[in-house]
Amino acid sequence: MPASKIPEADIERVLSHVQPFIAQHLNTQSSKSTKRPFILGLTGLQGSGKSTWTDALVTALQQGFNYNTINLSLDDLYLDHDEIVNVRTNNPSNQLLQARGQPGTHDIDLSLAFFQSLMDPSRDTLIPSFDKSLFNGEGGRAPRESWRRVPAGTSVDVVVFEGWCIGFQPLSDDVIKDTWNKTLQTQATSKYPTRTLKDHAIEDLLEVNNNLRRYCEIFMGPRHFDYLVHLDTDDLVNVYEWRIQQEHALWQMKNQGMTDDEVVKFVKGYMPAYELYLDQLRGSLFGSRSGCEEKGQLSVIMDKKRKVVKMAGISL
Ligand SMILES: Nc1ncnc2c1ncn2[C@@H]1O[C@H](COP(=O)(O)OP(=O)(O)OP(=O)(O)O)[C@@H](O)[C@H]1O
């Protein structure tokens, strides 16, 4: 297996925070007839390395601790292609819902079925898979025969569940309106804009916020996780830089990829969510009044080159 881009020492540091929570969880589950796996959320900005970190964590949890570990990406829960087209057609003026990505473009029933099947040892668990290359890059559900399978009777210890908006929590309509009202117009001269709310109609932001609310109620709220690792940066502009580095590497390797302008347009689509929800997440997903205060959260701050410059448990 090729060496991971994540230094082993960084993985070890993360696990020194997380593993005691896993051990405690498995200990309390051992006497139960229906065992629930430990759900380790991994959230992070676009291109921060969520998939790469997930792979490294799964390997370390399996090989270093012998935990039966699987992973799921929120990207694998996208609606199938025809449903994504429906979302686009039903929301013609909402720029946030013209392609897969935002809350409102994932299959909630599929996510529920996945998490419920993990609790039922009499059934195989199929891990959903989405193929981004289908339909000229619009993507579609991969055939079920190609999904990974956890055979019935196998108990899964840990699920690493990664996604860009995991840990984001809906705001009240009033807070969204207030934030929107106070936000200045997008910086027209900025190469990498980080203030984009005014590019969107307030009702479009509210709609995505409502979709996020449903996600959190059903499978993505604080009660659905046991621990959250957050890949973050001290400068949001790095999200543009990371993606541009990635596309430049792709150009060198395959002579294809996005142009810098296309990257800016693409990353800008995620900025409204960062502007609205990042502060609260940085405060804590398991904050007071969540009823989950005993759970843990770790902030991993990376610089422009994705070097970890700070790692700290979030205390309430
Ligand atoms: N620590 C790192 N150092 C250098 N390169 C990295 C690092 N982490 C990830 N990369 C590279 O950055 C790119 C994006 O990584 P990855 O796909 O893991 O990010 P992601 O957060 O899952 O992306 P997306 O938000 O698009 O789903 C990949 O080319 C990966 O190899």
Side-chain angles (χ1 to χ4, degrees):
M1 189 188 291
S4 172
K5 288 185 178 167
I6 315 296
E8 232 169 85
D10 287 342
I11 293 295
E12 278 169 19
R13 271 173 78 197
V14 168
L15 288 181
S16 72
H17 287 268
V18 183
Q19 193 273 334
F21 285 81
I22 301 177
Q24 162 78 19
H25 173 87
L26 295 179
N27 196 24
T28 55
Q29 295 290 312
S30 60
S31 56
K32 298 191 174 161
S33 55
T34 309
K35 297 189 182 15
R36 185 178 70 73
F38 184 90
I39 310 292
L40 172 56
L42 179 75
T43 185
L45 301 155
Q46 257 301 318
S48 55
K50 294 178 292 298
S51 313
T52 313
W53 277 81
T54 297
D55 289 347
L57 285 169
V58 169
T59 303
L61 287 166
Q62 279 179 171
Q63 294 179 357
F65 295 93
N66 219 10
Y67 293 143
N68 188 14
T69 307
I70 62 170
N71 63 290
L72 173 73
S73 169
L74 184 64
D75 287 359
D76 284 315
L77 296 176
Y78 280 128
L79 291 165
D80 206 349
H81 181 257
D82 52 345
E83 297 163 302
I84 292 177
V85 171
N86 282 345
V87 172
R88 175 164 65 217
T89 327
N90 294 336
N91 299 276
S93 61
N94 189 336
Q95 288 310 309
L96 294 165
L97 296 176
Q98 295 308 298
R100 63 170 199 263
Q102 302 287 327
T105 59
H106 299 86
D107 190 329
I108 292 181
D109 292 339
L110 182 65
S111 79
L112 253 187
F114 167 77
F115 285 108
Q116 279 172 353
S117 77
L118 282 172
M119 306 281 291
D120 179 356
S122 70
R123 285 195 292 154
D124 288 0
T125 294
L126 285 171
I127 307 176
S129 174
F130 186 87
D131 184 344
K132 293 180 181 170
S133 69
L134 295 176
F135 299 99
N136 289 325
E138 288 191 351
R141 179 109 4 102
R144 280 177 87 86
E145 309 79 71
S146 68
W147 297 8
R148 289 172 293 155
R149 179 182 296 268
V150 181
T154 314
S155 92
V156 173
D157 298 318
V158 182
V159 179
V160 182
F161 180 27
E162 64 90 359
W164 75 274
C165 57
I166 282 176
F168 288 173
Q169 291 192 78
L171 301 166
S172 71
D173 286 8
D174 283 348
V175 169
I176 302 251
K177 286 178 193 164
D178 200 40
T179 313
W180 188 85
N181 281 329
K182 284 186 188 145
T183 302
L184 300 171
Q185 202 66 39
T186 304
Q187 314 101 295
T189 53
S190 172
K191 189 172 160 202
Y192 301 143
T194 53
R195 222 171 46 221
T196 62
L197 285 186
K198 281 273 162 69
D199 289 356
H200 301 276
I202 184 74
E203 53 272 20
D204 294 348
L205 297 166
L206 290 171
E207 177 160 14
V208 172
N209 188 59
N210 278 335
N211 296 337
L212 179 62
R213 183 171 294 115
R214 284 190 63 223
Y215 282 24
C216 287
E217 281 160 7
I218 294 171
F219 71 105
M220 243 175 55
R223 71 189 173 89
H224 299 97
F225 293 94
D226 295 293
Y227 197 100
L228 184 73
V229 174
H230 180 197
L231 305 178
D232 200 358
T233 184
D234 43 14
D235 187 353
L236 260 189
V237 159
N238 288 336
V239 186
Y240 290 98
E241 300 274 6
W242 292 335
R243 191 65 198 221
I244 281 175
Q245 285 164 18
Q246 188 181 332
E247 295 299 320
H248 285 187
L250 209 66
W251 276 108
Q252 278 199 337
M253 257 175 17
K254 298 192 169 167
N255 207 24
Q256 64 180 49
M258 283 193 255
T259 63
D260 289 5
D261 285 348
E262 283 167 345
V263 170
V264 171
K265 190 165 173 245
F266 171 77
V267 172
K268 227 174 118 183
Y270 291 88
M271 278 299 149
Y274 300 151
E275 291 172 78
L276 289 171
Y277 306 116
L278 253 188
D279 277 355
Q280 193 180 38
L281 175 60
R282 284 171 173 158
S284 169
L285 170 63
F286 307 115
S288 53
R289 298 199 301 276
S290 69
C292 302
E293 291 83 355
E294 78 292 353
K295 299 182 178 183
Q297 180 169 336
L298 183 71
S299 162
V300 179
I301 312 274
M302 293 180 293
D303 67 10
K304 190 169 165 173
K305 295 192 165 157
R306 293 197 191 77
K307 181 174 174 297
V308 174
V309 289
K310 192 175 168 204
M311 203 181 279
I314 305 273
S315 47
L316 302 179

